[in-house]
């Protein structure tokens, strides 16, 4: 149906009826005025693309030198590691989850691969997780020739049907995880936190938000009388040797992108660096033997820095369809039903030394980077630093509407259990339960469509 025809019908129906959320200009006169200069998704880093490559462009505002460094980082990000000895990119494993950054973050989005962070009860160093004897921080499902993988992660799903107002239903898949074929006994009290990768766009901007801003968000949420009370995660900075505000990963466990990147080389690929010089899974005899296979460390600090710079300097795609009345109505609903409290539309960065392109920007990430209790259905039962099993960091929503095109799937939430935006919303609980219930029971089917149309414009 054309927009005009739809409006004509709606006008006709409106005689004597209060029409809410019809999506026509005629009915949106009460909507808040839209700023004539709306905040661009990535501030000056924003790029114009709505294609399957939309997450792969450098920030629009890079200097020539920065662009060169970005391109070196791109090479590092795409490099596929092989087992040593090898002429280039040796040092994979001995145990690993995948062989390149790109494999888990295809086209800089997220793959379907689920990997499990593992620990056992009790505190580890600096209040972080305590590792499982004989295993690394991530359960490694692969190994190079001559070595055993640590174990297999098995997942099965059962369906759960949810009803929504207006006679609609949705089917959620409820996952259940188990560890099988462990190379040595896997303790029955070990805790597993299944995760899929996150898109890597716009991360320099998030890194450049001052810690004081995140603390202010938390204070503001605590002062409100709604259910939302986000908190910062305080985590260990391995280079600075001090506790800092965490912001990366599904539970905000990495304080910087450099630490996240060094951790990815180490724990996801089994590649050592000067930042993480000891082979992953220390305590497992075959791993120690493997150390002597290659010249350690297996990548230089420069390579870690280049890969880090790459994710700090990717552009964020501009929003699309912002003039569509359905999208605009959905944007209003996003705030009205309480989504914007956690998925904060805008943010301002301070200065990030070495990445001028992300410094002092105003941008629209749709996150507060804080931890929130998301209820029992989403818990992994595995605390890490200040994050309890039920707590997760609000993920940014920029680029959300392009992800299915880029990735070939639209799996959402920390373990990819949701297969659409609507399913992801219906899984929200805990602090987000009031917002979810408004979505589920108060909105009409058409309003839900408007909200999703808005989210797809991001
Ligand atoms: C085996 C799969 C895998 C590989 C290989 C991998 N990643 Fe990741 N990546 C993940 C997962 C899973 C997460 C979420 C981690 C968490 O929640 O702690 C993640 C998170 C990230 C984040 C944080 C994003 C955010 O929004 O907080 C960055 C940055 C990142 N990866 C960069 C890299 C880089 C750089 C490499 C290569 C050096 C790499 N990754 C290799 C799976 C992978
Ligand atoms: C209390 C804070 C909070 C509120 C309120 C909230 N969210 Fe979320 N949202 C989160 C967190 C935390 C996650 C990640 C949960 C997980 O992965 O287990 C999330 C995940 C998502 C995702 C999936 C993102 C991804 O990359 O996988 C979408 C989409 C989303 N939220 C949309 C919404 C919408 C729409 C609303 C309003 C109906 C809403 N959220 C309300 C905190 C919140």
């Amino acid at each position: 149906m054309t927009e005009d025809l739809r409006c004509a019908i709606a006008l006709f129906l409106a005689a004597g009826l209060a029409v809410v959320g019809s999506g026509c200009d005629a009915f949106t006169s009460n909507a808040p005025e839209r700023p004539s200069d709306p905040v661009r998704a990535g501030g000056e880093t924003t790029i114009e693309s709505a294609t399957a490559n939309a997450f792969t462009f450098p920030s629009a505002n890079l200097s020539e030198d920065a662009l060169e460094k970005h391109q070196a980082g791109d090479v590092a990000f795409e490099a596929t590691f092989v087992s040593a000895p090898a002429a280039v990119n040796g040092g994979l494993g001995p145990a690993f989850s995948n062989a390149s950054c790109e494999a888990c973050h295809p086209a800089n989005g997220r793959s379907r691969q689920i990997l499990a962070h593992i620990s056992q009860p009790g505190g580890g160093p600096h209040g972080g997780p305590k590792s499982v004897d004989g295993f690394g921080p991530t359960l490694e499902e692969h190994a190079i020739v001559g070595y055993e993988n640590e174990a297999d992660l098995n997942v099965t799903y059962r369906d759960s049907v949810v009803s929504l107002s207006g006679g609609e239903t949705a089917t959620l898949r409820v996952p259940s995880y188990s560890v099988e074929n462990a190379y040595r006994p896997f303790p029955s009290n070990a805790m597993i936190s299944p995760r899929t990768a996150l898109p890597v766009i716009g991360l320099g901007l998030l890194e450049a938000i001052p810690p004081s801003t995140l603390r202010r968000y938390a204070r503001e949420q605590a002062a409100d009388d709604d259910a939302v009370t986000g908190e910062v995660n305080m985590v260990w900075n391995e280079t600075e040797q001090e506790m800092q505000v965490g912001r990366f990963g599904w539970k905000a466990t990495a304080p910087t992108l450099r630490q996240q990147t060094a951790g990815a080389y180490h724990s996801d690929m089994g590649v050592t660096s000067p930042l993480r010089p000891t082979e992953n899974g220390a305590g497992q005899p075959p791993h120690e033997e493997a150390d002597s296979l290659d010249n350690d460390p297996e990548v230089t600090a420069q390579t870690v820095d280049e890969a880090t710079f790459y994710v700090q300097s990717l552009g964020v795609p501009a929003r699309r369809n912002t003039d569509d009345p359905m999208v605009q109505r959905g944007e209003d609903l996003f705030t009205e039903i309480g989504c914007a409290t956690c998925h904060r539309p805008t943010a301002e960065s301070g200065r990030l030394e070495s990445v001028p392109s992300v410094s002092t920007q105003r941008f629209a990430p749709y996150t507060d980077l804080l931890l929130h209790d998301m209820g029992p259905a989403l818990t992994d039962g595995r605390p890490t630093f200040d994050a309890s099993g039920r707590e997760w960091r609000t993920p940014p929503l920029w680029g959300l509407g392009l992800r299915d095109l880029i990735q070939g799937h639209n799996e959402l939430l920390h373990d990819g259990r949701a297969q659409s935006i609507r399913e992801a919303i219906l899984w929200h609980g805990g602090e987000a339960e009031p917002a979810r219930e408004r979505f589920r029971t108060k909105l009409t089917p058409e309003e839900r469509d408007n909200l999703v149309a808005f989210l797809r414009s991001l």
Side-chain angles (χ1 to χ4, degrees):
M1 201 186 305
T2 68
E3 193 62 30
D4 286 346
L5 183 54
R6 227 162 52 95
C7 286
I9 292 172
L11 275 169
F12 175 70
L13 291 173
L17 289 173
V19 174
V20 186
S22 70
C24 300
D25 282 332
F27 300 106
T28 50
S29 51
N30 295 340
E33 236 179 81
R34 272 157 228 294
S36 54
D37 184 19
V39 178
R40 303 197 74 207
E44 289 164 18
T45 77
T46 307
I47 56 99
E48 298 289 338
S49 170
T51 69
N53 291 326
F55 288 180
T56 64
F57 293 93
S59 295
N61 59 343
L62 291 189
S63 68
E64 232 166 81
D65 284 357
L67 189 59
E68 228 168 81
K69 197 169 166 198
H70 177 90
Q71 278 152 357
D74 193 1
V75 172
F77 198 84
E78 283 176 16
T80 300
F81 284 82
V82 295
S83 56
V88 283
N89 303 332
L92 179 68
F96 63 97
S97 293
N98 215 320
S100 69
C101 309
E102 174 80 18
C104 290
H105 301 276
N108 298 336
R110 50 197 279 196
S111 78
R112 295 183 126 110
Q113 181 176 356
I114 302 176
L115 52 87
H117 291 210
I118 52 173
S119 51
Q120 55 189 13
H126 314 291
K130 182 177 179 191
S131 52
V132 180
D133 294 335
F135 292 83
T138 304
L139 196 73
E140 309 283 18
E141 292 197 77
H142 302 279
I144 59 172
V145 174
Y147 296 91
E148 274 185 280
N149 66 333
E150 290 184 337
D152 299 325
L153 180 70
N154 186 41
V155 53
T156 54
Y157 296 97
R158 71 176 167 79
D159 286 348
S160 166
V161 177
V162 176
S163 49
L164 297 87
S165 59
E168 294 191 333
T169 58
T171 305
L172 304 184
R173 32 173 219 172
V174 184
S176 153
Y177 295 97
S178 59
V179 171
E180 291 169 3
N181 308 320
Y183 86 105
R184 60 178 272 169
F186 189 72
S188 57
N189 66 350
M191 301 173 286
I192 60 175
S193 178
R195 319 258 175 109
T196 60
L198 283 152
V200 291
I201 51 165
L203 298 179
L205 291 165
L206 299 183
E207 189 166 27
I209 301 175
S212 57
T213 301
L214 304 184
R215 291 211 175 85
R216 173 170 59 81
Y217 291 170
R219 276 198 310 277
E220 286 171 5
Q221 291 180 5
D224 277 3
D225 53 7
D226 64 8
V228 176
T229 52
E231 284 168 8
V232 294
N233 198 0
M234 289 304 289
V235 303
W236 184 244
N237 183 316
E238 293 165 13
T239 320
E240 307 290 323
Q241 296 280 303
E242 62 178 32
M243 299 301 287
Q244 287 185 351
V245 170
R247 48 183 93 205
F248 300 107
W250 285 102
K251 288 195 189 254
T253 44
T256 63
L257 288 166
R258 191 163 183 260
Q259 184 162 319
Q260 178 79 36
T261 300
Y265 274 115
H266 184 253
S267 310
D268 295 338
M269 305 195 281
V271 173
T272 57
S273 68
L275 288 78
R276 292 277 190 98
T278 315
E279 277 297 356
N280 182 12
Q284 188 182 159
H287 284 200
E288 278 165 16
E289 270 171 45
D291 249 353
S292 61
L293 274 179
D294 196 16
N295 291 334
D296 270 343
E298 294 155 343
V299 291
T300 61
Q302 188 185 336
T303 301
V304 175
D305 289 344
E306 284 168 352
T308 304
F309 188 75
Y310 179 67
V311 295
Q312 285 170 327
S313 57
L314 282 164
V316 179
R319 282 187 61 198
R320 300 148 315 283
N321 308 323
T322 47
D323 294 335
D324 181 338
M326 278 184 68
V327 167
Q328 297 190 342
R329 180 71 190 124
E331 183 169 10
D332 297 338
L333 291 168
F334 185 77
T335 304
E336 282 164 31
I337 68 171
C339 310
T341 318
C342 300
H343 295 282
R344 268 184 94 98
T346 59
E348 274 158 40
S349 57
R351 287 191 190 281
L352 186 62
E353 210 195 323
S354 76
V355 198
S357 55
V358 299
S359 298
T360 58
Q361 295 294 314
R362 219 170 154 229
F363 52 101
Y366 294 89
T367 175
D368 57 5
L369 294 181
L370 299 178
L371 296 173
H372 297 277
D373 181 332
M374 295 298 286
L378 286 175
T379 187
D380 62 5
R382 176 182 178 271
T384 163
F385 293 98
D386 295 335
S388 72
R390 289 159 61 131
E391 285 178 313
W392 300 95
R393 177 203 71 166
T394 312
L397 300 180
W398 47 19
L400 188 62
L402 293 168
R403 291 207 207 150
D404 45 2
L405 176 67
I406 289 168
Q407 304 165 163
H409 68 83
N410 204 9
E411 290 189 355
L412 294 165
L413 300 176
H414 63 269
D415 59 358
R417 66 180 66 186
Q419 293 177 292
S420 67
I421 291 173
R422 171 182 292 236
E423 285 179 33
I425 298 168
L426 292 170
W427 272 106
H428 281 56
E431 293 174 35
E433 188 168 323
R436 180 205 67 209
E437 282 302 278
R438 285 178 211 120
F439 175 80
R440 190 178 72 84
T441 65
K442 298 281 189 286
L443 299 193
T444 63
E446 189 192 357
E447 286 171 325
R448 282 194 290 266
D449 287 348
N450 290 345
L451 183 68
V452 171
F454 160 67
L455 291 164
R456 292 198 59 83
S457 77
L458 298 180

